[in-house]
Amino acid sequence: MIRLGLCCAFRDQPIKFATTTATSIAKMERPDALAKLSRLCLANAEALLAALQYCADNRIGCFRVNSQILPLKTHPICGYEVEELPDRDEIVRRFKACGKFVKHHKLRTCFHPDQFVVLNSQRPEVVESSIRELEYQAEVAEWIGADVINIHGGGAYGDKPKALADFVRNLDRLSARVRKRLTVENDDKVFTPDDLLPICEATGIPLVYDVHHHRCLPDSLSVEQATTKALTTWNREPLFHISSPLEGWQGPKPERHHDFIDVNDFPACWRNEQITVEVEAKAKEVAVEKLARELIEARLAGAG
């Protein structure tokens, strides 16, 4: 059975996540800033519960949580510990309520940290900030029952083997709660499935196979071979990514995402697997629901 996933936000539904800017927070006295950040965290916990309710009601099996669910949590100047917030206990309670909802409705939640998370960066300060971000997301992941924190391999810096060795070395700096959730994804510029699979096999870090990225940056593996190999890296339900090119595969920039998914881009070899497929499409919940309908129609047509 395919579990389709919605990424972070909605196109049409009135479910919004609150945010703020570091500039705004920095202008405030610290107690006032913490009070505002506390209110935003509470609001985001409620928005997350609404998002999960929508997913449960509309057969969307997975929700990717925005990295700024606790706004500015790891910012170098405006960042904070949850214990500093006036509503800390209520914030945690509300997020844990989301976790109970997820478990009761057999949903799945996950994180995909922003691009500034680069574990193999050549700049020590970037590695340090990346680790802080992963630790923060793992804290929230524990509250809500998320089992994936997905990152990219980082840069090659002119030496892929060394870059991958740096990635592996820095894994040892992560806590157990990050490591048990951490996954790595092939990208469309640097690291292919062929590059990452040996790392996944050696470290136990699962591969989130992004088929769009693989089509943009191919290697020696076919989609079917990459799928088979990626599946073997998982000790829980595998999670993959799907998207379609904005201007078609022959367009000038096939890496850019379309509003919707072309059902023909959905690999045939995925259709009978028990996997989660996050739908990376700009039309958000509308795109997920459209793809779900088209997959059912394709199955029925095949059965006929």
Side-chain angles (χ1 to χ4, degrees):
M1 183 191 78
I2 300 293
R3 181 202 302 265
L4 294 182
L6 171 63
C7 298
C8 300
F10 294 80
R11 192 191 77 171
D12 294 348
Q13 296 302 309
I15 301 171
K16 307 292 183 185
F17 291 92
T19 187
T20 187
T21 65
T23 301
S24 172
I25 293 297
K27 291 177 180 177
M28 304 172 72
E29 294 294 328
R30 186 64 172 172
D32 294 335
L34 290 172
K36 178 178 179 178
L37 290 163
S38 191
R39 292 192 298 272
L40 295 178
C41 291
L42 286 172
N44 283 347
E46 289 305 299
L48 178 57
L49 189 59
L52 295 170
Q53 183 69 65
Y54 183 87
C55 289
D57 291 344
N58 291 276
R59 298 183 180 180
I60 297 173
C62 179
F63 186 73
R64 181 193 294 176
V65 180
N66 189 306
S67 295
Q68 289 295 313
I69 194 79
L70 303 187
L72 302 178
K73 174 68 169 63
T74 62
H75 189 274
I77 297 171
C78 303
Y80 52 90
E81 297 298 328
V82 174
E83 291 74 17
E84 296 179 76
L85 300 177
D87 302 299
R88 55 191 173 275
D89 292 340
E90 181 62 12
I91 290 166
V92 175
R93 188 196 69 77
R94 291 190 191 185
F95 277 106
K96 287 186 174 180
C98 291
K100 291 177 183 176
F101 186 94
V102 166
K103 185 175 182 179
H104 178 74
H105 290 275
K106 296 182 172 59
L107 297 174
R108 193 177 193 186
T109 51
C110 60
F111 285 87
H112 192 359
D114 296 324
Q115 295 296 322
F116 65 79
V117 172
V118 183
L119 269 188
N120 72 343
S121 174
Q122 295 182 310
R123 296 167 55 198
E125 67 273 20
V126 173
V127 176
E128 294 296 335
S129 67
S130 298
I131 292 171
R132 286 196 301 273
E133 185 71 11
L134 291 171
E135 294 294 344
Y136 139 59
Q137 294 191 26
E139 181 179 18
V140 182
E142 282 193 332
W143 300 341
I144 66 173
D147 69 333
V148 168
I149 301 175
N150 180 48
I151 63 174
H152 291 283
Y157 308 111
D159 187 342
K160 270 191 182 183
K162 181 182 182 300
L164 290 171
D166 289 343
F167 178 89
V168 171
R169 186 180 68 254
N170 285 326
L171 293 177
D172 291 336
R173 301 183 59 190
L174 302 173
S175 69
R177 70 180 178 185
V178 176
R179 279 294 299 264
K180 70 186 288 189
R181 296 175 171 85
L182 195 70
T183 62
V184 65
E185 173 190 348
N186 61 294
D187 61 80
D188 57 5
K189 295 289 191 295
V190 183
F191 293 118
T192 69
D194 222 1
D195 293 324
L196 295 175
L197 280 162
I199 300 301
C200 295
E201 292 159 3
T203 64
I205 302 295
L207 178 69
V208 170
Y209 176 46
D210 188 311
V211 69
H212 187 162
H213 288 168
H214 193 200
R215 287 164 172 158
C216 291
L217 183 65
D219 55 17
S220 66
L221 300 174
S222 66
V223 168
E224 293 76 16
Q225 290 170 328
T227 295
T228 299
K229 287 177 177 290
L231 289 172
T232 67
T233 66
W234 286 84
N235 61 359
R236 53 200 185 276
E237 182 174 304
L239 187 148
F240 292 170
H241 289 173
I242 185 74
S243 45
S244 288
L246 178 61
E247 299 172 279
W249 291 109
Q250 304 308 314
K253 293 184 178 180
E255 68 274 9
R256 293 194 296 178
H257 291 184
H258 199 286
D259 286 2
F260 294 95
I261 305 299
D262 181 339
V263 71
N264 295 312
D265 288 334
F266 199 98
C269 60
W270 290 10
R271 299 192 185 199
N272 294 318
E273 297 291 344
Q274 180 74 39
I275 57 175
T276 298
V277 179
E278 287 191 300
V279 177
E280 296 189 324
K282 294 179 181 179
K284 299 299 181 179
E285 80 279 12
V286 182
V288 177
E289 291 159 17
K290 179 175 181 290
L291 177 60
R293 290 193 302 270
E294 291 177 348
L295 286 172
I296 290 172
E297 290 167 2
R299 187 169 68 245
L300 292 175

